[in-house]
Amino acid sequence: MSHTAGGHEPAGTPDSSGRQVAASAEHLIKTYGKGETTVHALREVTIDFAAGEFTAIMGPSGSGKSTLMHCLAGLDTATSGTVRIGDTELTRLSDKQMTRLRRDRVGFVFQAFNLVPTLTARENITLPLDIAGRKPDKEWMATVVGRLGLEDRLGHRPSELSGGQVQRVACARALVGRPEIIFGDEPTGNLDSRSSGEVLSILRTSVDDLGQTVVIVTHDPRAASYADRVVFLADGQIVSDQRGLSSDDIFEYMKHLDNGSHAGDPDQVG
Ligand SMILES: Nc1ncnc2c1ncn2[C@@H]1O[C@H](COP(=O)(O)OP(=O)(O)OP(=O)(O)O)[C@@H](O)[C@H]1O
């Protein structure tokens, strides 16, 4: 049986290596404020995210990670440049079309998107599908819920769950509809190492087994080591884009960036 994420929409244009592009940013600039108080959050960021890949975005505090993710996910608009989800250019969409795109094609694991307090965990998990008038795939829903250890928590409301359980429900909500792309902003931020491992391994499984595309922002080298690709930002620019890094490689490179050095790639740090 072959499952593919986001099967309800056309995939994006292939990149130079022939893979479908799930999301892309081109010459993305985001500037806050004017004059002396101008902050250059993104300085011409151009990047493609191939479908079926797990990417982690890292970088020092203030380097532009959240800004990039918010622009990619259609939650913020850039000052200039283009963002695409698949072949759809976000700047061309009306508010209504944008809402529909976020609902139908994108999954979010963001701290800011808390669960609805009056709904149970199960209702929160299926909410995006319910709104879209789609039915969850029972088998996949059971896999997600089981892997995230939520079976006996489905009837509880968020106030009756621990912080880690709330975050795992948010992760399940993003995964059940198999959106074209899942964005996570510190998806393991407030989790203990066991819960964090469960969330990351199910994201990994969804990429490996379902061809899901996942992009996360994280400060944690261990979390980033689950990704196929790690993109490092510094001062609003991409300073390194690497594959196959261990958490030790990532830790060393982050140390190097925290010291204010932007040159070189992780292999050369030591
Ligand atoms: N609404 C805003 N108004 C003004 N400046 C902002 C705003 N949002 C972000 N910034 C600035 O833009 C830059 C990039 O911020 P961003 O949140 O993207 O960084 P980050 O890498 O995600 O940081 P952190 O790791 O601390 O979350 C920072 O200098 C930040 O202060």
Side-chain angles (χ1 to χ4, degrees), residues 5-249:
H8 50 287
E9 283 290 339
T13 309
D15 66 9
S16 53
S17 60
R19 301 189 69 161
Q20 299 294 323
V21 174
S24 63
E26 232 177 292
H27 305 298
L28 208 61
I29 294 177
K30 178 72 177 182
T31 310
Y32 291 106
K34 281 202 166 73
E36 283 183 9
T37 59
T38 303
V39 175
H40 299 282
L42 296 176
R43 305 170 190 256
E44 287 238 14
V45 170
T46 294
I47 187 166
D48 282 352
F49 297 94
E53 256 199 345
F54 187 166
T55 305
I57 299 176
M58 299 195 84
S61 180
S63 56
K65 303 180 294 294
S66 298
T67 306
L68 175 60
M69 174 147 294
H70 288 141
C71 290
L72 286 167
L75 299 170
D76 195 359
T77 49
T79 307
S80 66
T82 48
V83 173
R84 287 190 180 82
I85 296 289
D87 281 335
T88 311
E89 191 180 324
L90 301 194
T91 37
R92 293 177 187 270
L93 301 183
S94 65
D95 287 352
K96 207 169 155 188
Q97 288 170 319
M98 184 71 105
T99 303
R100 205 176 307 138
L101 175 135
R102 281 195 299 255
R103 186 192 72 192
D104 297 343
R105 299 174 59 187
V106 181
F108 296 95
V109 191
F110 280 28
Q111 311 277 346
F113 288 162
N114 279 325
L115 306 179
V116 180
T118 52
L119 299 181
T120 64
R122 181 194 299 280
E123 289 163 345
N124 268 288
I125 292 171
T126 58
L127 184 65
L129 290 175
D130 293 340
I131 294 173
R134 288 165 57 201
K135 289 251 176 295
D137 173 330
K138 281 199 182 126
E139 205 183 311
W140 176 234
M141 168 105 179
T143 302
V144 169
V145 164
R147 286 289 299 280
L148 292 170
L150 291 168
E151 294 105 325
D152 58 357
R153 285 280 167 262
L154 290 177
H156 294 259
R157 293 200 163 71
S159 61
E160 299 157 348
L161 300 173
S162 70
Q165 288 164 346
V166 166
Q167 191 66 349
R168 281 182 278 153
V169 172
C171 187
R173 179 180 57 186
L175 282 160
V176 285
R178 289 187 194 139
E180 272 174 66
I181 186 161
I182 292 178
F183 291 109
D185 198 353
E186 293 283 354
T188 57
N190 55 3
L191 299 182
D192 60 30
S193 65
R194 189 162 154 233
S195 301
S196 163
E198 291 293 351
V199 165
L200 292 162
S201 72
I202 197 158
L203 289 174
R204 185 70 253 170
T205 303
S206 73
V207 170
D208 293 338
D209 295 357
L210 299 173
Q212 180 69 61
T213 310
V214 176
V215 181
I216 64 167
V217 164
T218 182
H219 283 105
D220 177 6
R222 203 182 136 261
S225 71
Y226 280 76
D228 300 301
R229 174 188 185 198
V230 186
V231 173
F232 296 89
L233 288 184
D235 288 338
Q237 286 177 310
I238 294 172
V239 290
S240 186
D241 187 342
Q242 299 285 320
R243 285 164 192 283
L245 297 184
S246 69
S247 54
D248 285 349
D249 297 332

